[in-house]
Amino acid sequence: MNGTIDSSILVYLKSLTLLCVEDNKTTQLLYQSIFEDLVANIILADNGEDGYEKFQNQKIDLIIVDYDMPVLNGIEMIKKIRDGDKEIPIILVSAIQDIDVIVQALQLNVNNFLKKPIIVSEVMQAIENVSKLIFAGNYLKEQREKKIRELERKEEYNSYQEDLAFSKELNIVRNDFYYKMLDTEQTTLVDFLYKPLDILSGDAYSARKICAERVFYFIVDGMGKGLSASLSSMLLTAYVNHAVDKMGEDFSLKRLIESSLEYIKPIILDEEALSTEFIVMDYKNSTMIYSKFAMPPSLTQSIDNEVIKIRSNNPPMSKFTDQFAISETDISKITKLLFYSDGLVENSVREKGKLYANFIENDFLRSFTKDELKEKLLYKIDAQEDDMTFIFINQLPSSQKEKRITKTFESTLNAVEEANDWYTDIWSGFTTNYKLAYNAGVVFSELFMNAYEHGNLGLDAKTKHRLLSEDIYFTTLEELQKSCKKEITVTIDIIEANSSRYMATLIKDEGQGFNTTILREIFKDRDNFNGRGIYISRQSSLGLYYNSEGTSVLFLHKA
């Protein structure tokens, strides 16, 4: 009997479990004799109800079911099976040729029919036909699953490559002021928005500290979209950073631009162009020296709250650029500055027929911090249409400061408690917004404690965790503070701007400080226990800024 079935199907049948539903014992014995050497397992059921229960409780690959049975007939059993499984192959056996039964069976997607009395050759043919369907279906399923796995691997690989590409971009973008303030005679806060539209951005920027009194800013925007514009922007940025590193304090803006042109001109295509700006802030001489190549006008705000535009003084940078201009402007009466790429101003807004260019000046004037400007921008635009980059600088002139409060504390646990109570009392007189006062208190408590334990007492994070695990943390602090003569000074400036009041709190310790470059990693890995307090402090304030030594931290709140 087995020889009538294709050999490849015979091999496949050996892996299947067959459910035979038949109330006649003689027919059951016949099925047993036919299939015992063909399939892996034969399961027998005496009626439709029994067959349905066995189908539910075991893995079945193929069903042969008689139509005329007690309790539950074949059609009724098939209906229950099809409610949950639309695909399992079913062969219906019947002694009658009722057209209604055949129609019902077809509607239930029965795969084959056998008539009684049973003829072995017909059974074998039906089994072979249905087995081929199972074999073909499983093959197609395997191919689909294989294709899905391949696509998943490809997608995973592409995602991995995109992550690497974006990490590379972030390495190329250099920012010496990541959550850091500028150490000049006046408090200068530098903030950034870098929001690429795609993984490979046509925008890039750098912010470099040349020396204590000079800072260099660079923004590039590849004119056009796609990989070519992104590569040109990233290559130029990488070179600019390399050149700045090489020059050190012997920095020359003219030499930097000359060498940048010499580097990029052989790389960019004839039809390509780059919008760039090279800006040096010279705080010793209160001047801004710049060379802007087809960039949107920089915005500055004077102490009289007037917006002054600084327009480009050069055409786009291209393969044919030979000459360039460098200009200088006085910033002694400037309180804020904004440098940005055109993706900001050329973005459509929700107000029909307008671009963000119609709103940027007023939003800049009304924003005291980068976060406030970002909030206004994202509220107005419908959807981001291009890479967006801006550098927001707030110089906090003393003329804006309504009041200054300063108090010095010892490095003791009692002083920590005293400082928290003192700060809470100040906020109670500053605002009736209890949630805001609470958030400010959380930030103060965290950062003051850092100044006490990490700053003046010199405990590193690893030692602190060990002391906590050994339950000797506070006793160790009490022991260390006995010989500590260092103090913590808190300075609070209440600043009035745009009819609003802001509180800038500065906490300064007398410790050794820390390497502030780790701040980038802290804010990137927000779940890491080390530095989590700093991350929470940033989230609960308008801005968090350390000095370059890591001995002072300033944070902002708006009343």
Side-chain angles (χ1 to χ4, degrees), residues 53 213 240 258 372 527:
E53 288 179 5
E213 295 170 327
V240 165
E258 287 173 343
E372 290 178 321
D527 295 324

Side-chain angles (χ1 to χ4, degrees), residues 137-232:
N138 285 345
Y139 175 78
L140 291 173
K141 182 180 178 182
E142 287 172 5
Q143 292 303 306
R144 282 197 303 270
E145 290 175 348
K146 181 181 177 183
K147 187 70 175 176
I148 289 169
R149 287 194 298 271
E150 288 175 354
L151 289 172
E152 285 175 345
R153 283 195 295 270
K154 185 176 180 181
E155 188 173 317
E156 183 178 339
Y157 177 76
N158 289 341
S159 177
Y160 171 69
Q161 290 297 326
E162 286 179 352
D163 288 344
L164 284 181
F166 191 61
S167 295
K168 181 72 71 177
E169 285 184 26
L170 294 180
N171 282 344
I172 290 171
V173 169
R174 291 280 296 279
N175 185 348
D176 292 345
F177 301 98
Y178 195 82
Y179 291 100
K180 287 187 276 188
M181 59 182 136
L182 188 58
D183 301 316
T184 57
E185 289 185 3
Q186 63 183 6
T187 304
T188 301
L189 310 180
V190 188
D191 277 302
F192 307 83
L193 175 78
Y194 183 54
K195 197 172 173 61
L197 182 63
D198 300 307
I199 292 296
L200 290 174
S201 173
D203 278 14
Y205 79 92
S206 279
R208 309 300 307 276
K209 184 176 181 179
I210 306 302
C211 61
E213 295 170 327
R214 283 198 301 169
V215 177
F216 169 69
Y217 298 107
F218 171 78
I219 297 179
V220 58
D221 180 5
M223 298 177 73
K225 298 184 183 293
L227 186 58
S228 179
S230 175
L231 283 173
S232 298

Side-chain angles (χ1 to χ4, degrees), residues 496-554:
E496 187 170 348
N498 304 318
S499 302
S500 297
R501 297 167 80 215
Y502 298 81
M503 185 181 284
T505 304
L506 180 74
I507 301 174
K508 181 177 177 58
D509 63 60
E510 297 177 344
Q512 296 298 311
F514 68 97
N515 182 1
T516 54
T517 58
I518 68 169
L519 291 169
R520 177 180 290 274
E521 298 306 315
I522 287 174
F523 286 100
K524 188 186 295 184
D525 184 12
R526 64 189 66 177
D527 295 324
N528 193 321
F529 185 78
N530 291 334
R532 185 158 175 79
I534 295 176
Y535 175 78
I536 292 171
S537 297
R538 174 62 185 92
Q539 295 302 105
S540 301
S541 65
L542 277 176
L544 191 69
Y545 312 87
Y546 282 85
N547 67 348
S548 55
E549 292 82 16
T551 56
S552 295
V553 59
L554 180 145

Side-chain angles (χ1 to χ4, degrees), residues 27-44:
T27 306
Q28 285 186 5
L29 290 173
L30 177 60
Y31 286 151
Q32 189 82 44
S33 66
I34 293 172
F35 296 119
E36 61 185 353
D37 294 327
L38 281 177
V39 297
N41 297 296
I42 302 170
I43 298 171
L44 297 172

Side-chain angles (χ1 to χ4, degrees), residues 61 82 84-90 109 111 134 141 144:
D61 300 300
R82 287 296 187 226
D85 190 326
K86 307 294 184 186
E87 296 182 0
I88 186 168
I90 300 175
N109 195 25
N111 301 90
I134 301 173
K141 182 180 178 182
R144 282 197 303 270

Side-chain angles (χ1 to χ4, degrees), residues 285-338:
N285 299 302
S286 297
T287 57
M288 170 178 150
I289 304 104
Y290 62 93
S291 190
K292 292 168 62 74
F293 294 79
M295 286 292 281
S298 301
L299 301 183
T300 67
Q301 180 180 330
S302 71
I303 56 176
D304 298 321
N305 292 327
E306 178 187 0
V307 173
I308 303 165
K309 295 181 179 180
I310 301 175
R311 302 185 184 279
S312 286
N313 50 356
N314 293 290
M317 185 178 284
S318 74
K319 206 174 190 70
F320 312 103
T321 301
D322 292 319
Q323 304 293 325
F324 58 90
I326 295 178
S327 304
E328 185 175 314
T329 187
D330 178 31
I331 59 168
S332 60
K333 296 183 179 180
I334 297 299
T335 62
K336 288 189 314 191
L337 303 98
L338 182 69

Side-chain angles (χ1 to χ4, degrees), residues 106-125:
L106 289 171
Q107 290 173 342
L108 291 168
N109 195 25
V110 167
N111 301 90
N112 219 319
F113 298 90
L114 288 173
K115 64 179 184 294
K116 285 188 174 181
I118 297 294
I119 299 172
V120 173
S121 61
E122 291 180 357
V123 174
M124 299 294 286
Q125 186 63 52

